[in-house]
Amino acid sequence: QNASLMVVSKQIKDAKGSWKGKSKLHLSHLPPEKRVTESDSTLHVDLDEHGSFATVTYTWHYEGTRHEGSVLVCGSEKSKAFTYAWVDSWHQNTAVMTLTGKEEGGGPLKAKGTWDAGGEPWGWTLAFSLVKDQFVLKMEVVTPAGEAEWAVEGVYSRA
């Protein structure tokens, strides 16, 4: 096996397998008592045979309906740059969003993309982190002015 092909982050490699937990959704435009909902969630990390890319799939629920998402993770071990290709049946269901980031000393693998909200482009961040025995997925919406607000937080333990 060619070591130069091993480009997926160690955090993603170490997270390979099945996870289960809770996912929280934050909708700031709703009344305060309805802004945050929580649901059971599953997540699975798979690697290609060479460790050159990973696929992260997850499920969650909103108002009794099951949703799912998928993130293709690619990167360069040498430059520490990485790219996510993300789709989700609720958040991002009409096109693949490409998000880019750079690995920073073992912290969360956070990447940023943009989407069109009918005017100025808005931002979206997606971050994975493996801390001890928990795998965490966090997403933020970023206003055109650059203000970030959490949108999704999934916390998982090994299934």
Side-chain angles (χ1 to χ4, degrees):
Q1 187 168 336
N2 184 341
S4 68
L5 293 176
M6 300 291 286
V7 295
V8 174
S9 165
K10 181 171 177 5
Q11 286 189 70
I12 298 291
K13 288 178 197 169
D14 290 349
K16 183 179 177 181
S18 295
W19 299 80
K20 63 182 177 181
K22 298 284 186 185
S23 180
K24 290 181 182 178
L25 175 65
H26 178 233
L27 300 172
S28 62
H29 65 278
L30 294 178
E33 68 278 4
K34 294 183 178 184
R35 284 185 187 158
V36 177
T37 58
E38 184 178 75
S39 70
D40 289 334
S41 183
T42 63
L43 184 141
H44 185 81
V45 178
D46 201 11
L47 301 173
D48 76 294
E49 186 175 325
H50 304 285
S52 56
F53 68 89
T55 306
V56 180
T57 55
Y58 59 90
T59 65
W60 59 287
H61 297 81
Y62 181 64
E63 295 184 337
T65 301
R66 180 182 186 269
H67 291 280
E68 55 192 89
S70 184
V71 183
L72 181 63
V73 180
C74 302
S76 167
E77 200 167 50
K78 187 175 183 179
S79 73
K80 302 292 186 195
F82 59 91
T83 302
Y84 297 151
W86 174 57
V87 292
D88 184 288
S89 61
W90 194 76
H91 300 277
Q92 181 65 26
N93 59 14
T94 60
V96 174
M97 181 185 285
T98 301
L99 303 97
T100 57
K102 193 157 183 146
E103 198 169 348
E104 310 259 346
L109 300 173
K110 187 174 184 177
K112 184 176 180 185
T114 58
W115 56 286
D116 182 3
E120 292 184 77
W122 282 60
W124 190 262
T125 69
L126 192 155
F128 293 112
S129 58
L130 181 62
V131 181
K132 297 186 182 176
D133 58 350
Q134 290 189 322
F135 193 59
V136 178
L137 165 61
K138 289 186 178 181
M139 298 182 199
E140 297 171 317
V141 63
V142 183
T143 68
E147 298 166 352
E149 182 173 79
W150 79 277
V152 173
E153 181 180 58
V155 180
Y156 302 90
S157 299
R158 290 270 178 200

